[in-house]
Amino acid sequence: SHWSGSSLAGDMAAFQRPALFSAPASKASPHHDLPLVRLTVLGAAGCGKTCLINSWVNNFCPAAPVQTEDPTLYYRTVRIPSPDGDAEAAPWTVFVEVEDTYPWGWTTGEDCYGQPYNSNNFLEGIGKSSSSGWFHFHKERPMSASEAPSRTSYSPMTLHRMGFLAVFDATKQESLSVALGICERLLERRGGGGGAGELPAIYLVGNKTDEGPLHDEFRKIVGAAKAFAARNKISFVEVSAVEFTRVRKLFRDVVEELACAGLDLSKAAVDSPVLDTETSGAEQGFGWGLGALALRGFGW
């Protein structure tokens, strides 16, 4: 099944290392190492999943969003504070694969890869540890070790799904109901206790907060979401993809949580490449979207 395989080959065999952060490449080596994590974004139709992803990856929110009909992969790097808590330590660079999905619950038809619509596919391949990826590439040719996009196979670079964003339209009760159902499914699969540090990371995300913060229905929906998150010990975040409100913080927080989940920092190291095209405070990175024979973002 193309839902669980990796498209990397050759020197990407080290992709399956047991630690999220790899040992640094030799100074004489032209290759660079990056930890690689995947975030999967789920939700009902119209909740703003694609807009949210583009707001973070491309600093752009489509004025006239088109409904996502096929799984789409987006990429960007993000720098986070050193997970060991050392304020003087250099930031760590993480390579993030963001998985956009079609509306939750679609069952009729198939995507462009010939796979029947089935949202349950996005709940498979959940990583049970913080180790799930290692990205090894040539400094001058990023992503050169991976296969080109294809219309016949869906090939994420990561082996597992580690973080989930269950997104809902904060002005619609039915959208919240779908997101809560997704979270319940994820909590069942995670099992055991809850709270930060448990994998996979689960975030309940209320989008479109710019559309009705003063309406009684909006406050009721957000209140219900907060109560659910508190009861189940998961994170709840209110964002606006259109106004870019708390979007960067959301993704950075998820990545930081994954980076700190069960790592043996005494053995962790990263040789971070200089690939940044954007700077905002402590966060720097580059990004693009990878669909069926489509590259979007910074012209890669």
Side-chain angles (χ1 to χ4, degrees):
S1 169
H2 65 235
W3 291 99
S4 60
S6 170
S7 62
L8 305 185
D11 58 3
M12 284 303 294
F15 183 76
Q16 303 180 52
R17 290 185 177 184
L20 176 62
F21 292 93
S22 64
S26 166
K27 291 184 178 180
S29 171
H31 294 85
H32 293 253
D33 303 334
L34 281 177
L36 174 60
V37 300
R38 191 193 326 180
L39 306 181
T40 301
V41 184
L42 306 168
C47 68
K49 300 185 298 296
T50 303
C51 289
L52 177 63
I53 295 171
N54 272 281
S55 290
W56 185 59
V57 173
N58 293 322
N59 294 314
F60 168 75
C61 184
V66 177
Q67 186 163 259
T68 300
E69 298 182 351
D70 309 298
T72 305
L73 300 170
Y74 293 77
Y75 297 90
R76 86 163 271 172
T77 59
V78 59
R79 286 187 179 178
I80 62 174
S82 175
D84 61 8
D86 184 354
E88 297 183 357
W92 291 44
T93 301
V94 182
F95 191 61
V96 185
E97 181 174 62
V98 185
E99 184 176 34
D100 193 10
T101 62
Y102 44 77
W104 183 266
W106 272 18
T107 57
T108 303
E110 59 183 34
D111 61 25
C112 67
Y113 308 103
Q115 294 291 316
Y117 286 127
N118 183 358
S119 299
N120 291 323
N121 285 330
F122 299 111
L123 302 183
E124 300 298 332
I126 295 177
K128 294 299 183 182
S129 69
S130 59
S131 75
S132 116
W134 182 74
F135 183 49
H136 188 63
F137 68 98
H138 193 284
K139 178 179 179 181
E140 304 301 329
R141 299 188 299 276
M143 298 186 77
S144 59
S146 62
E147 296 178 1
S150 169
R151 292 189 183 278
T152 60
S153 64
Y154 181 60
S155 303
M157 297 173 67
T158 46
L159 292 177
H160 303 292
R161 295 179 170 93
M162 293 151 282
F164 290 85
L165 279 61
V167 182
F168 67 93
D169 182 339
T171 67
K172 296 181 179 180
Q173 178 62 46
E174 58 270 27
S175 185
L176 171 62
S177 298
V178 172
L180 297 185
I182 293 170
C183 289
E184 290 173 347
R185 294 283 303 279
L186 289 169
L187 287 166
E188 290 174 359
R189 287 176 176 252
R190 185 165 73 178
E198 293 288 336
L199 293 175
I202 304 171
Y203 277 65
L204 181 60
V205 181
N207 191 21
K208 303 188 180 182
T209 58
D210 57 289
E211 294 189 6
L214 301 179
H215 296 173
D216 290 340
E217 184 67 13
F218 173 87
R219 290 195 290 267
K220 179 181 178 182
I221 292 172
V222 170
K226 288 181 178 178
F228 178 90
R231 186 167 60 251
N232 291 281
K233 299 180 181 180
I234 63 175
S235 297
F236 169 62
V237 183
E238 298 176 54
V239 302
S240 170
V242 172
E243 296 184 348
F244 303 93
T245 305
R246 288 183 288 274
V247 172
R248 293 189 183 194
K249 185 178 188 304
L250 165 64
F251 283 94
R252 187 167 59 246
D253 285 352
V254 181
V255 174
E256 286 186 22
E257 180 175 330
L258 291 173
C260 293
L263 292 180
D264 181 359
L265 296 174
S266 65
K267 300 179 181 178
V270 167
D271 182 26
S272 302
V274 180
L275 289 173
D276 305 316
T277 61
E278 177 198 34
T279 302
S280 176
E283 179 180 353
Q284 301 178 358
F286 72 97
W288 63 89
L290 181 58
L293 298 180
L295 292 174
R296 295 194 290 272
F298 292 94
W300 295 91

